[in-house]
Amino acid sequence: MKSGTVFLAGHARDRCGTTGTAAIEVCFVDQMHSHRHAPLEPAVGRISRERVLPMAVALPASFPQHMRTSAYAQADGAAVLDDLADARTGLVQASSPLADQIFHTFGIAEAHPLVHTGEIRASAWHFELRDTITSWARTRGVPVV
């Protein structure tokens, strides 16, 4: 499994020879043209905003449920470039506060799938993804709780 963050961090470190701290910005949008840096929405054949469903976070029943929806969620932070490129515990540690910020948009205090100490909480993942995430974590040496 290779995320955009891991790919970009690996490129910056391994091909460009950079090191140090990287700024990270994560944006979830209901449609591409909702992002402030996206190209303008085409005037011909465009999708009506009324037909686009807002995003919502669904959690397993053992975690607090919330029905708040949103068309835009953003998080930002910083991480050591090597931690992102290596895709191990440091990546999970960097991702956890970003996920928390995204979840705040939906009225949820904490992103249960990730733990700030760099662990994956298997019970918080949807059953369709649980085995894949657990397998990835174990091959990368990321603790699963």
Side-chain angles (χ1 to χ4, degrees):
M1 178 163 37
K2 191 116 175 166
S3 74
T5 303
V6 174
F7 175 79
L8 292 171
H11 177 78
R13 181 189 69 182
D14 302 337
R15 292 186 174 219
C16 300
T18 57
T19 188
T21 305
I24 306 167
E25 181 179 312
V26 179
C27 297
F28 286 174
V29 294
D30 61 350
Q31 56 183 333
M32 182 179 80
H33 301 289
S34 295
H35 191 274
R36 67 179 184 273
H37 297 302
L40 295 176
E41 189 171 10
V44 178
R46 69 184 214 196
I47 299 171
S48 167
R49 288 196 182 273
E50 289 75 34
R51 292 188 328 189
V52 176
L53 297 176
M55 299 174 294
V57 174
L59 295 171
S62 57
F63 295 101
Q65 295 297 308
H66 221 283
M67 295 306 295
R68 185 181 299 173
T69 59
S70 179
Y72 187 87
Q74 178 181 344
D76 53 29
V80 176
L81 194 60
D82 288 331
D83 287 347
L84 300 176
D86 290 340
R88 297 185 183 279
T89 302
L91 174 66
V92 178
Q93 288 173 323
S95 300
S96 180
L98 296 171
D100 284 349
Q101 289 178 49
I102 294 294
F103 274 48
H104 292 170
T105 302
F106 299 96
I108 301 168
E110 178 185 31
H112 294 285
L114 306 175
V115 181
H116 287 282
T117 56
E119 300 166 325
I120 300 287
R121 188 177 285 129
S123 63
W125 290 88
H126 191 272
F127 72 91
E128 292 177 355
L129 294 174
R130 191 173 298 145
D131 290 341
T132 303
I133 294 296
T134 302
S135 175
W136 173 85
R138 290 199 172 115
T139 61
R140 305 303 291 179
V142 175
V144 177
V145 293

